[in-house]
Amino acid sequence: MNGKITRFFSKPLMKQNIKSNYILTIAIIAVMCMMCVVSTYATSIMDTKNSKQESEDAQADFYSYLYVMASYNDVAGTKLSYEDFEKADDKTAYETAFSMANQQSGNTDLSVDGLESAAKELKKTDISLDTYIHQFEYVYALGQVKGCFSGDELDMQDMMSTMLETMGVDPDRVEHMAEMDTTALFNQMDYTVMGLLPIFLFIVIVGNSLIVDQVDRGSMAYVLSTPTKRFAVANTQAIFMVVTPLIMIAVTASARLIASRIFLDSYSVSRILVLYLGLYVLVEAVAGICYLGSCLFDQSRRSMAFGGGLTVWFFLASLLGMFGAKDMVNMGFGAEALNVFNKLTLVGLYDIKAISTVGTGSVDTTFIWKLIVLGVIAVVCYAAGALRFQKKDLPL
């Protein structure tokens, strides 16, 4: 260094950090990228919400047309059916039936084209139209009769609920499971469990090795024997803890975008970027805590117990808290009382549900203040750690 005093940043120390940790960094990046590609592919398999909703709407429309035809048959003594509708060149009788239904209800717009459109949408599903028609026949037949004992009107929904109850299955739970957004639940697991484990492992290992491990092994004495100020050491190590996770998460986010382009029909670039921005802020808050522990203590085991212990707690608490989420409780896989763990971990401030609204017409901005809190924690921990390292007596 030609006798110059290094006051703010040490290039040799940064090179040493890179040389010591590049294999671990590459390995963690590879694991994170592999996991995000696999999870994106899994999402592409599970993400059928839009097509399912479209088919459900088409089914409701299709049943409306079948009901009109069945009712018209009862009144006019005709034999209109969908099978004949497809074969018929002259669809005047069907237009007449739909027109009468429109006049009676006053708020419908039934037409031959509408029936053809609904049938076309249902043909895209794996279920044949004959099956839909056969199901409607049961629905229509049950709607014409009442219970022989209760006198109540019978319907298909009540029949299915009764059958589930006789099997010991709660119908409400089945309904909640049908309404549950499995893609959102999978994203919650992906980003807060599978996505955090590899990089948390990296943070604990590297955070412990940058300062306290060198103090414990005595190599810090060699570093400080050179014209390098303590502030330069603390600052260089902090920069490494800030930049390295940024690179790792940026590469993983790029892999996610590429995988999304390959496997998903539609995706939001802004949502993915904000999700990974939030992940980075969370990681830096945890990294700041590990850095603070590395600066506070003179022995690796104490630093590891502090930073590593808190990191493990944050991860385990988020895992337990996930089973207290509403969707998990509705599925019967969780307990509402476990939701308290989401308030006992920094991971709870990484609001996946709110961030997932980015790119939609109604964005839940509550995630912003939570990320600000995480950012403040990171800054305070880094600053406090650097200040402590400069002032404490080192066993050199």
Side-chain angles (χ1 to χ4, degrees):
M1 290 181 288
N2 298 325
K4 294 183 179 179
I5 298 176
T6 303
R7 299 179 183 276
F8 302 103
F9 179 78
S10 172
K11 290 183 179 180
L13 188 57
M14 180 60 74
K15 290 180 180 179
Q16 176 186 330
N17 291 336
I18 295 173
K19 183 178 180 180
S20 301
N21 297 288
Y22 80 93
I23 295 178
L24 177 63
T25 302
I26 293 173
I28 296 295
I29 289 176
V31 170
M32 292 177 66
C33 288
M34 180 181 66
M35 291 175 66
C36 84
V37 170
V38 171
S39 64
T40 302
Y41 177 69
T43 301
S44 69
I45 298 174
M46 296 166 50
D47 192 13
T48 57
K49 180 179 179 181
N50 292 334
S51 59
K52 180 179 179 181
Q53 184 63 47
E54 290 174 0
S55 65
E56 288 177 351
D57 294 341
Q59 180 181 347
D61 293 340
F62 188 65
Y63 281 8
S64 297
Y65 284 103
L66 295 181
Y67 180 82
V68 168
M69 287 189 285
S71 301
Y72 185 78
N73 288 339
D74 292 339
V75 174
T78 57
K79 294 183 178 180
L80 300 182
S81 68
Y82 181 76
E83 183 179 359
D84 292 337
F85 173 82
E86 278 196 309
K87 297 176 182 178
D89 294 327
D90 183 8
K91 295 182 171 56
T92 304
Y94 297 92
E95 284 286 12
T96 301
F98 299 152
S99 297
M100 289 181 60
N102 291 335
Q103 292 173 3
Q104 290 175 358
S105 64
N107 59 355
T108 58
D109 188 21
L110 302 177
S111 66
V112 168
D113 292 339
L115 175 54
E116 291 176 342
S117 176
K120 182 179 179 180
E121 187 65 36
L122 288 181
K123 288 178 180 178
K124 296 178 182 178
T125 67
D126 297 330
I127 304 173
S128 68
L129 281 181
D130 289 339
T131 302
Y132 286 114
I133 295 171
H134 194 48
Q135 183 190 41
F136 172 79
E137 289 178 330
Y138 280 110
V139 174
Y140 187 78
L142 287 173
Q144 310 306 307
V145 297
K146 296 183 178 181
C148 60
F149 298 115
S150 65
D152 296 333
E153 294 185 357
L154 303 179
D155 58 58
M156 181 66 74
Q157 184 65 36
D158 182 62
M159 184 185 76
M160 295 300 298
S161 297
T162 303
M163 290 178 62
L164 289 172
E165 288 176 357
T166 60
M167 296 168 60
V169 179
D170 185 357
D172 291 335
R173 179 169 294 175
V174 174
E175 182 178 353
H176 287 314
M177 290 178 66
E179 295 174 352
M180 185 182 62
D181 189 349
T182 54
T183 301
L185 179 61
F186 186 77
N187 284 339
Q188 183 76 25
M189 296 175 61
D190 183 19
Y191 285 95
T192 60
V193 179
M194 295 183 291
L196 286 178
L197 183 58
I199 198 164
F200 271 7
L201 179 64
F202 174 85
I203 290 299
V204 170
I205 294 174
V206 174
N208 191 66
S209 67
L210 290 180
I211 291 181
V212 70
D213 190 50
Q214 296 188 45
V215 172
D216 201 9
R217 290 187 290 107
S219 58
M220 185 60 70
Y222 169 76
V223 174
L224 296 179
S225 66
T226 63
T228 304
K229 293 291 186 179
R230 287 196 185 189
F231 178 76
V233 174
N235 195 40
T236 301
Q237 307 299 58
I239 290 174
F240 183 81
M241 287 286 284
V242 170
V243 174
T244 306
L246 177 61
I247 295 173
M248 297 169 71
I249 292 176
V251 173
T252 307
S254 299
R256 173 78 66 173
L257 289 171
I258 295 172
S260 298
R261 184 175 180 84
I262 294 173
F263 297 121
L264 301 181
D265 294 330
S266 62
Y267 61 95
S268 172
V269 175
S270 59
R271 183 183 308 152
I272 291 174
L273 293 178
V274 176
L275 279 168
Y276 277 101
L277 173 62
L279 179 62
Y280 173 69
V281 176
L282 169 62
V283 166
E284 280 306 309
V286 177
I289 292 173
C290 291
Y291 177 83
L292 175 61
S294 189
C295 294
L296 284 176
F297 301 100
D298 295 331
Q299 294 180 327
S300 292
R301 65 176 185 274
R302 293 182 179 179
S303 174
M304 183 68 75
F306 176 79
L310 285 176
T311 302
V312 170
W313 166 251
F314 293 151
F315 180 78
L316 292 179
S318 67
L319 188 61
L320 291 171
M322 186 179 66
F323 287 95
K326 184 178 179 180
D327 286 338
M328 281 292 192
V329 174
N330 290 337
M331 290 175 64
F333 296 139
E336 190 174 352
L338 292 176
N339 190 50
V340 69
F341 285 99
N342 288 318
K343 300 177 181 179
L344 301 176
T345 171
L346 291 185
V347 181
L349 294 174
Y350 180 37
D351 196 338
I352 299 292
K353 188 173 182 180
I355 296 176
S356 295
T357 63
V358 173
T360 64
S362 179
V363 179
D364 184 357
T365 58
T366 56
F367 71 89
I368 296 177
W369 71 262
K370 295 179 181 180
L371 294 184
I372 291 175
V373 171
L374 288 173
V376 170
I377 291 174
V379 171
V380 169
C381 287
Y382 276 120
L387 183 63
R388 173 58 179 164
F389 179 73
Q390 293 178 69
K391 295 184 177 297
K392 77 171 184 175
D393 295 328
L394 297 177
L396 303 177

